Amino acid sequence: MGSLGNVARTDGRRELSFELRYRLLTEITEEVRGTLDLDEVLNHLIDAVKSVVDYDAAGIFVLKTNFHPFPHSPYTHIIAGTALRGFPRAPREDDPMLKWGRGIIGHVIRTGEAVIASDVREDPRYVEGRPGTQSEIAMPIVVEQQVVGALNLESDRLDAFNETHAEILRFLCGVAAISIEKAMLHRHLVENKHLEYQMKIARDVQAGLLPDGPPQLPGYDVAAVNLPNLSISGDYFDYLPLPSGNVGIAIADVSGKGVAAALIMATFRAALRTQVGYETDITRIIRAVNLFLLESTHTATFVTAVFGVLEPKTGRFTYVNCGHTRPLLLHADGRTELLDRGGLLLGISADAAYEAATVRLEPADILALYTDGVVDLSGENGAEFGALGLERYIRVHWDQPADGLIECIVNATRALTQDRSYPDDFTLVIVRRLPEAGRAAPGSAPAPR
C-alpha cells in the first residue's frame, strides 16, 4: 500500500490549495483503483488520511444503505464496512454509536453535520471510544445527498483539529464517497447474485413440495397451476393418496408473500401430511394442523385452506373450508354449489371449531378450488374477474380437458389485466368427473344463474 508520500502532511495552518487537492485526488484514486472490495477501499482511504492529517486514532464507518440507521432502528447490523486505526478493539454490536446513534459519529451520521470537538470532555455528545482521546473531528461521507457514513479522527492533544483540517477532510470525504459508492455497488451486485442463487434453490425446493403431476383417478380428469407473484409462492395445493383408495385434495393461501410465506406454507404442508398419515376424520386433522401452526408460527400469520377427501367411486367430496375462498362445484345441469362450510382460518385461535360438509360430483360435473389471486383481478376499466367470471369461463369452455380449461382461464385473466404477472399468487385446481360411458358430454353447460 502506498503512503501518498508526495503529499505533505498539514499542521492545520496550510490552505487546501488547488495543487494539494489535485495531488490528493490523483494519488488516492491510484491507491483504490485496483480494488472494488469495500474493506480494502476503506483501509486505503484511512491510511491516505494519515498522510495529510495527523491523528492518534481514526475510523471510517459506512452504513448499509438499505437500513435507516438512526434513531429507533430495529437492526443492529447497520454497518456495511469499517476501517479503524488506534482503537483498542473493534466496536461491538451493542456499541452505543452503532446501536443508538450516540456519540459524535452518530450525530454526524444522523444530521450530516461536521463536528470539531476541541475538548471532548466539554462536548455532551461525546461517548468514549478510547481513554486517551482529548479532541476529535468527524465528517460525513455523502453520496447523492445521502449520508452513507462518517470519517472520524481523534487526537491525544487538546485542540488538535481546526477548520483547515475540516476543509481537507471534507475534500477527502468527497473523493472517498466516489470510491465507496463504487465498492458498495459492487458489493450489492455480488450480494444480489448470491440472493438470486439462494432464491433459485428456494424455488427448486418449493417446486419439490408441490405435486409433480395429477393423481391418476379412473373416471376423473385433474389438473392444477401455481403461478407465484414473486419468485416463490405462499400458495399451496396438494393431492394426498389415502389407504382407502380415496384421495385428499388441499389448497391453501398463507398471509403475506415471499420467503416468509413460503416457509409457513412448508410448515402447513408438513403438518397436514403428518396428520393425514394416522388420522381419518378431517375435522380432527384440521384441528391438529391449526394447533401446530399456532405453536410454530408468529401470531400475525394465518392460513386459509380447504381440505377435502374425494371418494372416486361415488363422487362424494367431504371437505372443511378454513376461511378460504369458496370452491365452486359446477353441475352439468347448470346448478352451482359454493363450498363454504368449515370454520375459522388457521393459526388464529386454539379454540377454533370446524365442521365438515359433503357434496357430490355427478358425472360431467366440475369442481374448482382456487386462491383469491385467481379472482381478485380487475382490468384498466375497473372490470373485475371475480368468482362469477371464473364460473363463466368454466361453463363457456366446459368441454375442455382440465389442463385446457386452466389454460383458458390463465389466458383470460392475463388478457383482463394486460400483464403476464399477477398482483398475488395464482393457484387453481380443476377436478372434472368424466361423463359415464355411453353418455355424451353435455357440451357447453347453461350459463351461471
Side-chain angles (χ1 to χ4, degrees):
M1 185 192 307
S3 61
L4 301 186
N6 294 330
V7 180
R9 182 182 299 169
T10 178
D11 60 4
R13 292 187 294 272
R14 298 179 59 198
E15 293 185 2
L16 189 60
S17 65
F18 174 80
E19 180 183 4
L20 182 55
R21 290 176 187 267
Y22 178 77
R23 286 183 179 178
L24 284 170
L25 177 60
T26 56
E27 295 196 29
I28 290 176
T29 301
E30 181 68 25
E31 289 287 339
V32 301
R33 185 175 59 181
T35 180
L36 287 172
D37 180 85
L38 180 60
D39 292 332
E40 288 188 23
V41 167
L42 296 181
N43 279 286
H44 283 311
L45 291 170
I46 202 165
D47 288 329
V49 172
K50 184 70 170 178
S51 298
V52 289
V53 180
D54 194 22
Y55 59 74
D56 293 298
I60 298 180
F61 303 87
V62 177
L63 297 168
K64 289 183 179 178
T65 55
N66 56 330
F67 292 154
H68 188 284
F70 311 118
H72 311 308
S73 172
Y75 305 101
T76 56
H77 299 281
I78 63 171
I79 298 298
T82 62
L84 302 173
R85 298 290 184 271
F87 288 97
R89 57 176 175 77
R92 302 192 311 257
E93 264 190 15
D94 60 353
D95 181 276
M97 186 281 289
L98 301 184
K99 192 167 185 179
W100 298 293
R102 295 177 184 166
I104 289 175
I105 301 171
H107 174 83
V108 170
I109 290 174
R110 282 201 313 274
T111 66
E113 300 173 356
V115 171
I116 300 175
S118 299
D119 185 345
V120 294
R121 295 170 298 180
E122 297 180 358
D123 194 314
R125 298 165 298 193
Y126 178 70
V127 174
E128 183 178 298
R130 58 187 292 274
T133 295
Q134 295 194 56
S135 59
E136 181 174 351
I137 184 171
M139 190 70 55
I141 300 172
V142 180
V143 173
E144 296 182 352
Q145 300 183 328
Q146 179 183 0
V147 177
V148 300
L151 168 63
N152 175 66
L153 305 183
E154 300 185 14
S155 175
D156 294 343
R157 296 180 295 110
L158 292 172
D159 200 20
F161 306 108
N162 57 36
E163 288 297 335
T164 301
H165 291 120
E167 183 185 1
I168 293 171
L169 295 182
R170 189 174 292 109
F171 177 77
L172 285 172
C173 284
V175 177
I178 299 170
S179 300
I180 289 171
E181 182 181 25
K182 289 172 61 178
M184 292 192 71
L185 286 173
H186 175 71
R187 175 174 286 191
H188 285 314
L189 288 173
V190 172
E191 289 176 349
N192 287 340
K193 186 175 182 179
H194 178 70
L195 179 59
E196 289 175 3
Y197 175 71
Q198 294 297 323
M199 292 297 287
K200 180 182 182 302
I201 293 175
R203 287 195 299 270
D204 293 344
V205 170
Q206 186 175 50
L209 298 178
L210 297 176
D212 56 6
Q216 300 303 309
L217 297 176
Y220 292 83
D221 179 19
V222 182
V225 66
N226 170 249
L227 303 174
N229 165 252
L230 301 176
S231 298
I232 53 180
S233 173
D235 282 4
Y236 164 72
F237 74 93
D238 209 350
Y239 315 116
L240 296 90
L242 303 175
S244 61
N246 299 336
V247 61
I249 299 176
I251 191 167
D253 187 355
V254 179
S255 62
K257 297 180 180 180
V259 175
L263 290 173
I264 302 300
M265 182 274 277
T267 301
F268 172 81
R269 175 187 184 273
L272 180 62
R273 282 180 162 259
T274 298
Q275 293 301 317
V276 167
Y278 60 84
E279 179 61 73
T280 57
D281 184 276
I282 64 172
T283 57
R284 287 201 291 268
I285 289 173
I286 290 300
R287 283 197 296 268
V289 170
N290 178 57
L291 292 175
F292 185 82
L293 288 174
L294 278 169
E295 295 171 356
S296 306
T297 62
H298 192 276
T299 53
T301 303
F302 59 85
V303 178
T304 69
V306 174
F307 175 63
V309 174
L310 176 66
E311 298 178 4
K313 292 182 179 180
T314 64
R316 287 166 54 90
F317 184 67
T318 302
Y319 72 92
V320 175
N321 186 327
C322 310
H324 195 75
T325 51
R326 300 177 297 180
L328 302 174
L329 175 54
L330 282 64
H331 295 286
D333 61 8
R335 293 179 298 114
T336 299
E337 292 186 67
L338 302 177
L339 279 59
D340 55 5
R341 298 280 292 278
L344 289 175
L345 36 78
L346 302 167
I348 295 295
S349 171
D351 299 324
Y354 299 94
E355 62 174 330
T358 300
V359 294
R360 180 181 170 88
L361 278 75
E362 302 289 350
D365 288 354
I366 295 176
L367 173 64
L369 303 96
Y370 56 95
T371 58
D372 54 11
V374 175
V375 293
D376 291 347
L377 299 170
S378 59
E380 291 184 356
N381 60 358
E384 296 183 351
F385 189 67
L388 286 177
L390 176 62
E391 181 179 352
R392 184 177 300 110
Y393 272 93
I394 292 174
R395 291 201 181 275
V396 167
H397 301 282
W398 189 269
D399 57 346
Q400 291 286 331
D403 56 358
L405 191 52
I406 287 177
E407 183 178 359
C408 290
I409 294 167
V410 169
N411 291 338
T413 53
R414 284 177 171 164
L416 175 67
T417 62
Q418 297 183 346
D419 195 348
R420 294 192 64 81
S421 62
Y422 291 102
D424 197 359
D425 298 329
F426 183 110
T427 303
L428 174 63
V429 179
I430 296 292
V431 181
R432 298 179 75 251
R433 187 172 184 185
L434 301 175
E436 292 179 340
R439 294 182 56 184
S444 182
R449 296 182 294 186

